[in-house]
Amino acid sequence: AQTVTQSQPEMSVQEAETVTLSCTYDTSESDYYLFWYKQPPSRQMILVIRQEAYKQQNATENRFSVNFQKAAKSFSLKISDSQLGDAAMYFCAYRSGLINNDMRFGAGTRLTVKP
Amino acid sequence: DAGITQSPRHKVTETGTPVTLRCHQTENHRYMYWYRQDPGHGLRLIHYSYGVKDTDKGEVSDGYSVSRSKTEDFLLTLESATSSQTSVYFCAISEQVNYGYTFGSGTRLTVV
C-alpha cells in the first residue's frame, strides 16, 4: 500500500522568508499524482498545488512551488515570501492513477509564521 | 454555493447511540469519500463511493457504514458510537481520479 511520510510535525518561518516542507512517499506505481493541501484554523482543506508524476517540470502556483524528485520519491513544498496567512497545517497527499482509487495523506506539518 | 456541504457541523452524542453524518454535493461528481482526521494521523479513509450504490471500504472502516442512493448524497453511519470515534470527519468529492479533492467543511463529532 502507498504511504506518505511528513517527517516535520512542526516548522516555523519568519515573515517574508522562505520555508520548505518535506514529504516522501512509497509506491511501486508509475502513474500517480501528488498534492499539497493547506488547512488553516478554519478547518477547511484547501488545495495548494498538484503535480503529475509523468511531468518532470516542477509545479508552481504563485509563491508556492514543489521540488519533485521521482527517483527519490520526494515531494517538498517551498513557500516563498511567507505571509501570516500561510500559517496552517499542511498535508502532503498521494493519489494513484488507477481507476477508483483514493488519496493517501501524510500526518501533516504545522507551519507557524512569525511576524 | 459551496458545491459540497456537510451536516451537522458539530455533534455531541452518547456512547452506544447511532449517528448519521450527511454529505451533499451539487457538482455531480462521481467519486465521494469519507475521511476522519486525528492528530498525528492526518486524514484516513473510512469509506468511498465511485457511483450510486457502489461503495468500498477504506483503511479504518470498522464500526462505520455508508450509503449512496443518489449521486448527490453520501451518508456515513456509526451504528453504535464509541469514544474512539471522536474525531473530525471530512467528506470529499472528485470528478476524476487525476483530480484533487474538494472537501466539505468537516463535522466535529464528540462521543461521550
Side-chain angles (χ1 to χ4, degrees):
Chain A
Q2 299 85 11
T3 58
V4 180
T5 302
Q6 293 180 249
S7 59
Q8 306 153 317
E10 296 183 350
M11 292 281 285
S12 66
V13 63
Q14 206 70 34
E15 193 176 7
E17 297 294 310
T18 296
V19 64
T20 299
L21 308 184
S22 301
C23 174
T24 59
Y25 58 95
D26 183 26
T27 185
S28 58
E29 299 175 336
S30 58
D31 181 20
Y32 55 88
Y33 303 85
L34 297 165
F35 305 85
W36 279 98
Y37 279 88
K38 171 185 178 181
Q39 186 182 43
S42 67
R43 201 167 74 196
Q44 185 65 47
M45 294 285 286
I46 302 164
L47 178 64
V48 175
I49 201 163
R50 170 179 175 269
Q51 174 79 42
E52 297 95 332
Y54 62 84
K55 287 189 177 180
Q56 292 185 341
Q57 186 174 6
N58 290 325
T60 299
E61 289 287 342
N62 300 314
R63 297 182 296 106
F64 298 87
S65 62
V66 298
N67 183 5
F68 174 48
Q69 300 291 325
K70 190 172 184 178
K73 297 179 182 176
S74 171
F75 182 61
S76 60
L77 175 70
K78 186 171 81 171
I79 306 174
S80 304
D81 186 25
S82 296
Q83 302 175 359
L84 295 177
D86 295 333
M89 281 289 288
Y90 286 83
F91 293 98
C92 178
Y94 169 102
R95 188 172 193 182
S96 168
L98 297 176
I99 193 169
N100 294 348
N101 258 321
D102 59 288
M103 197 176 291
R104 304 296 173 94
F105 291 83
T109 296
R110 181 174 301 281
L111 179 66
T112 302
V113 181
K114 299 178 181 179
Chain B
D1 187 0
I4 175 172
T5 55
Q6 288 184 235
S7 58
R9 185 157 174 81
H10 303 276
K11 187 171 181 65
V12 179
T13 192
E14 292 186 351
T15 299
T17 61
V19 177
T20 295
L21 308 183
R22 180 178 185 243
C23 179
H24 178 78
Q25 62 149 327
T26 58
E27 304 295 328
N28 200 36
H29 286 346
R30 176 181 176 185
Y31 300 96
M32 298 186 76
Y33 307 83
W34 278 107
Y35 284 83
R36 59 179 288 173
Q37 181 180 10
D38 304 289
H41 292 278
L43 282 78
R44 293 179 293 174
L45 182 68
I46 304 171
H47 282 279
Y48 67 102
S49 170
Y50 44 92
V52 174
K53 298 186 179 177
D54 289 325
T55 64
D56 207 348
K57 295 179 179 180
E59 62 177 311
V60 291
S61 60
D62 287 349
Y64 302 95
S65 63
V66 291
S67 66
R68 191 173 180 194
S69 58
K70 298 184 291 185
T71 298
E72 57 266 35
D73 291 324
F74 193 33
L75 304 180
L76 176 70
T77 297
L78 291 66
E79 301 293 344
S80 177
T82 67
S83 59
S84 64
Q85 293 176 313
T86 292
S87 186
V88 177
Y89 291 85
F90 281 97
C91 177
I93 60 175
S94 177
E95 187 173 8
Q96 296 181 30
V97 292
N98 57 346
Y99 287 15
Y101 288 173
T102 300
F103 284 88
S105 55
T107 295
R108 180 174 294 279
L109 176 68
T110 303
V111 183
V112 298

